[in-house]
């Protein structure tokens, strides 16, 4: 398999099959993935129980969203494109949830243009259900199919 990294995106389902919920260690989750500019995060949750705030680091640390809020999402199925190579910080702003662990920060890196050729493709791990590739360069409906595909895979 040969692919050019700049032409793909990955879609990360936050919390994997558990989704964006209480009782999950999202710092652990975030540390198990590498994020590249152009990738997407998908937050799945019941929209009357949680929400997603993109905040500055200080707000992430304090869990006090009275300031430092960059964006708010509450659809229950929020797909957020990581458009810039920088740090992103996310919290749930339902009372107590951020302090209870519904928060994480990620470092989004610039895409590099190197071509990857796995030395032994037969031993490559199978694709994980939490991400799908080849979405970024195609129209939105293709991204939707990507999401659909990994939703089906993760059930
Ligand atoms: Cu919450």
């Amino acid at each position: 398999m040969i692919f050019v990294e700049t032409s793909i995106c990955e879609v990360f389902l936050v919390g994997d099959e558990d989704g964006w919920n209480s009782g999950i260690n999202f710092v652990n989750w975030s540390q198990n993935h590498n994020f590249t500019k152009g990738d997407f995060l998908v937050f799945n949750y019941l929209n009357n129980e949680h929400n997603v705030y993109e905040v500055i680091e200080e707000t992430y640390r304090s869990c006090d969203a009275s300031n430092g809020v960059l964006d708010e999402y509450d659809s229950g199925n929020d797909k957020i494109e990581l458009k810039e190579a920088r740090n992103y910080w996310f919290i749930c702003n339902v009372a107590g949830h951020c302090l209870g662990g519904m928060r994480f920060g990620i470092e989004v890196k610039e895409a590099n243009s190197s071509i990857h050729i796995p030395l032994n493709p037969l031993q490559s791990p199978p694709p994980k259900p939490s991400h799908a590739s080849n979405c970024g360069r195609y129209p939105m409906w293709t991204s939707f199919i990507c999401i659909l595909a990994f939703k089906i895979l993760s059930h």
Side-chain angles (χ1 to χ4, degrees):
M1 184 172 73
I2 301 172
F3 60 89
V4 179
E5 205 168 338
T6 47
S7 67
I8 66 162
C9 75
E10 290 190 76
V11 178
F12 295 97
L13 186 58
V14 176
D16 296 320
E17 63 273 15
D18 295 320
W20 182 234
N21 278 303
S22 306
I24 294 156
N25 189 326
F26 289 101
V27 173
N28 276 358
W29 176 85
S30 66
Q31 287 172 348
N32 284 330
H33 300 284
N34 293 315
F35 303 94
T36 306
K37 188 171 134 178
D39 288 348
F40 293 85
L41 295 183
V42 174
F43 291 80
N44 268 328
Y45 55 95
L46 296 173
N47 64 3
N48 58 349
E49 291 186 8
H50 305 288
N51 54 41
V52 182
Y53 278 36
E54 190 200 334
V55 298
I56 64 171
E57 181 176 2
E58 190 185 2
T59 305
Y60 160 82
R61 298 205 181 282
S62 67
C63 286
D64 175 4
S66 59
N67 59 49
V69 176
L70 303 175
D71 235 322
E72 301 178 19
Y73 305 87
D74 59 11
S75 76
N77 183 243
D78 304 316
K79 185 180 182 184
I80 300 172
E81 183 178 4
L82 304 168
K83 291 181 181 163
E84 296 166 51
R86 62 173 170 88
N87 290 338
Y88 284 77
W89 307 92
F90 295 97
I91 67 170
C92 175
N93 193 38
V94 172
H97 289 196
C98 173
L99 288 171
M102 290 190 72
R103 58 171 153 169
F104 64 93
I106 57 173
E107 181 187 353
V108 175
K109 300 211 168 105
E110 200 70 54
N112 79 56
S113 57
S114 62
I115 294 171
H116 288 239
I117 304 168
L119 292 176
N120 188 347
L122 292 176
Q123 287 181 6
S124 305
K128 288 181 192 158
S130 62
H131 71 249
S133 43
N134 289 323
C135 343
R137 61 200 294 214
Y138 297 107
M140 277 312 283
W141 64 268
T142 319
S143 304
F144 177 72
I145 289 171
C146 282
I147 303 237
L148 209 63
F150 80 69
K151 268 193 169 172
I152 291 164
L153 285 170
S154 65
H155 278 94

